[in-house]
């Protein structure tokens, strides 16, 4: 099945936006501009970008559709070291580094491509400090991402760097652009912090940010499985 051309365009654009945990400003900028160009009203908080229903009807249930904007990568301190964020363990990365360095692309805090470098070693979990080698100047809070092809088409298949969760972000933006009509009050939620212990999801659930009731629904596109919510966890 061929992927929608417009959806593919959005997905391709997202691959050009650097993204690592705790540095969401470039993703925020892209999504905000996308929505502003459409004349869509949205809320930007410390945890998420929220697109509420254009017209709220209290007779209809709410449905929350959410994805996340961050992707595992390196937050660089300078041109010698940084921290690898978003890895649950990292043992596979350390094992690989025992044999050879890992090439990375380096972007400045404002998203400009600076050049390339290599990860030479990484400390154990949970700190996961990485040591890099590069000849370029790197300022604090620069982005380090794997040096691979970020967008590739092969027949009916599309391969992207941040499929998790760029594909879901692109899909949500396409639905917003298409002005999806529904019997629900739809909220589109772009979580800023997921790859680091699902901080945004926990915050929204704990605060009951959307004042959800038993008649409402949440579709969290970033979850690998569904679990019964235990009130004592919150």
């Amino acid at each position: 099945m061929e992927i929608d051309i417009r959806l593919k365009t959005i997905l391709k654009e997202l691959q050009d936006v650097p993204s690592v945990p705790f540095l969401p400003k470039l993703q925020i900028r892209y999504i905000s501009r996308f929505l502003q160009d459409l004349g869509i009203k949205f809320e930007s908080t410390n945890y998420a970008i929220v697109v509420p229903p254009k017209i709220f009807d209290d007779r209809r249930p709410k449905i929350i559709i959410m994805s996340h904007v961050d992707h595992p990568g390196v937050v660089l301190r300078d041109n010698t070291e940084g921290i690898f964020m978003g890895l649950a363990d990292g043992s596979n990365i350390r094992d690989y580094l025992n044999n050879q360095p890992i090439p990375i692309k380096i972007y400045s805090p404002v998203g400009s491509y600076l050049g390339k470098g290599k990860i030479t070693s990484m400390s154990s979990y949970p700190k996961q400090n990485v040591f890099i080698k590069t000849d370029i100047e790197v300022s604090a809070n620069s982005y380090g991402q794997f040096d691979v092809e970020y967008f590739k088409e092969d027949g009916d298949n599309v391969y992207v760097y941040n499929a998790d969760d760029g594909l879901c972000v692109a899909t949500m933006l396409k639905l917003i652009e298409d002005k999806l009509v529904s019997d629900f009050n739809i909220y589109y939620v772009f979580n800023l912090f997921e790859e680091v212990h699902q901080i945004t999801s926990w915050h929204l659930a704990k605060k009951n940010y959307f004042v959800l009731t038993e008649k409402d629904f949440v579709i969290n596109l970033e979850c690998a499985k569904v679990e019964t919510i235990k009130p004592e966890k919150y």
Side-chain angles (χ1 to χ4, degrees), residues 3-234:
I3 187 172
D4 180 272
I5 294 177
R6 176 57 179 155
L7 175 60
K8 187 163 56 178
T9 298
I10 299 171
L11 182 59
K12 186 175 182 178
E13 290 177 354
L14 283 169
Q15 305 314 302
D16 294 328
V17 183
S19 173
V20 299
F22 289 129
L23 294 180
K25 63 182 180 180
L26 300 180
Q27 294 283 330
I28 292 173
R29 182 176 66 185
Y30 175 85
I31 294 171
S32 297
R33 288 178 177 175
F34 187 101
L35 298 173
Q36 289 166 353
D37 289 345
L38 293 174
I40 300 293
K41 293 183 178 180
F42 61 95
E43 304 165 8
S44 186
T45 75
N46 291 331
Y47 290 89
I49 296 174
V50 179
V51 179
K54 185 174 182 180
I55 300 176
F56 183 83
D57 186 342
D58 58 11
R59 297 170 299 178
R60 295 180 174 183
K62 301 170 187 172
I63 184 166
I64 314 300
I65 303 176
M66 61 172 60
S67 60
H68 65 90
V69 306
D70 55 343
H71 188 74
V74 180
V75 178
L76 293 167
R77 183 164 72 178
D78 51 33
N79 64 354
T80 64
E81 62 182 306
I83 301 176
F84 208 123
M85 298 284 194
L87 292 180
D89 175 19
S91 58
N92 56 335
I93 299 291
R94 286 190 294 276
D95 290 344
Y96 187 93
L97 288 168
N98 287 332
N99 298 306
Q100 58 185 309
I102 297 176
I104 59 172
K105 295 178 182 178
I106 300 173
Y107 299 85
S108 74
V110 296
S112 300
Y113 174 69
L114 298 177
K116 298 186 178 184
K118 295 180 179 179
I119 300 175
T120 57
S121 63
M122 183 172 72
S123 64
S124 59
Y125 184 83
K127 288 188 176 182
Q128 297 182 159
N129 294 322
V130 297
F131 300 92
I132 69 170
K133 184 176 181 179
T134 181
D135 294 328
I136 62 179
E137 292 296 321
V138 179
S139 59
N141 291 329
S142 292
Y143 300 73
Q145 300 186 162
F146 292 131
D147 184 8
V148 296
E149 192 169 4
Y150 285 4
F151 186 91
K152 178 183 177 182
E153 294 184 69
D154 180 11
D156 291 337
N157 298 316
V158 175
Y159 304 90
V160 296
Y161 178 73
N162 68 340
D164 175 13
D165 202 17
L167 180 57
C168 295
V169 171
T171 300
M172 288 170 56
L173 290 173
K174 179 67 166 54
L175 290 174
I176 293 170
E177 186 176 70
D178 289 347
K179 300 179 180 179
L180 176 67
V181 177
S182 173
D183 291 329
F184 293 89
N185 290 303
I186 302 179
Y187 291 80
Y188 296 96
V189 184
F190 300 90
N191 292 343
L192 303 183
F193 308 109
E194 185 275 345
E195 296 290 357
V196 278
H197 305 292
Q198 294 190 326
I199 289 175
T200 296
S201 293
W202 278 102
H203 171 78
L204 297 176
K206 184 176 181 179
K207 300 295 184 181
N208 194 9
Y209 185 86
F210 298 102
V211 193
L212 300 177
T213 66
E214 292 183 352
K215 69 177 183 179
D216 301 320
F217 296 86
V218 176
I219 301 177
N220 192 337
L221 301 176
E222 65 193 30
C223 291
K225 59 182 178 180
V226 177
E227 294 182 351
T228 301
I229 294 177
K230 299 179 180 179
E232 60 268 24
K233 293 175 68 176
Y234 302 96

